[in-house]
Amino acid sequence: MKTKQIPILIALAAGLITCIVSFLNQVSMEQFVRNLCLAVIIFYILGCIAKLILDKSFPVVSEEEINPEEEETKEQEEEPRQEEPERETEEVEEEEE
């Protein structure tokens, strides 16, 4: 599972919400910057924790585990077919008649 971007996305969402709320409440610039920095830092840390939980809950699956059926079909294709020699003997018998 691709979880690399989760902390950044959570921090950006928190920053956007902080900007909107601060704008609607007409907060001073000093208070706005302080709130924005705190929100981004706190939610980035929470995003990292969420990423760790997701990484442990859903481990990376290798390609071999994803498609075990494809491996079986490849093995079957590699084995020589036994039907071909029987056909050849049938053709030889028909020619003799």
Side-chain angles (χ1 to χ4, degrees):
M1 184 173 187
K2 297 180 181 179
T3 58
K4 183 178 180 181
Q5 297 141 348
I6 289 177
I8 295 169
L9 291 175
I10 291 175
L12 285 174
L16 177 66
I17 293 169
T18 303
C19 289
I20 292 170
V21 170
S22 296
F23 179 74
L24 293 175
N25 290 334
Q26 298 179 353
V27 176
S28 67
M29 184 60 81
E30 184 179 321
Q31 184 69 30
F32 166 72
V33 171
R34 189 178 320 127
N35 289 345
L36 181 64
C37 289
L38 283 174
V40 169
I41 291 169
I42 290 170
F43 279 94
Y44 182 78
I45 292 169
L46 291 174
C48 289
I49 294 169
K51 178 186 178 299
L52 289 173
I53 291 171
L54 287 173
D55 286 342
K56 288 184 179 181
S57 298
F58 302 104
V60 177
V61 180
S62 66
E63 292 179 16
E64 295 175 358
E65 294 175 4
I66 293 175
N67 300 322
E69 295 174 359
E70 289 181 7
E71 290 180 12
E72 292 175 4
T73 57
K74 287 180 183 177
E75 290 174 0
Q76 291 174 355
E77 290 175 357
E78 292 175 358
E79 294 177 2
R81 296 183 182 174
Q82 296 178 0
E83 296 175 6
E84 293 176 6
E86 293 175 4
R87 290 181 185 168
E88 290 176 4
T89 57
E90 290 176 3
E91 291 174 3
V92 171
E93 290 176 1
E94 290 176 3
E95 290 176 1
E96 290 177 357
E97 293 177 359

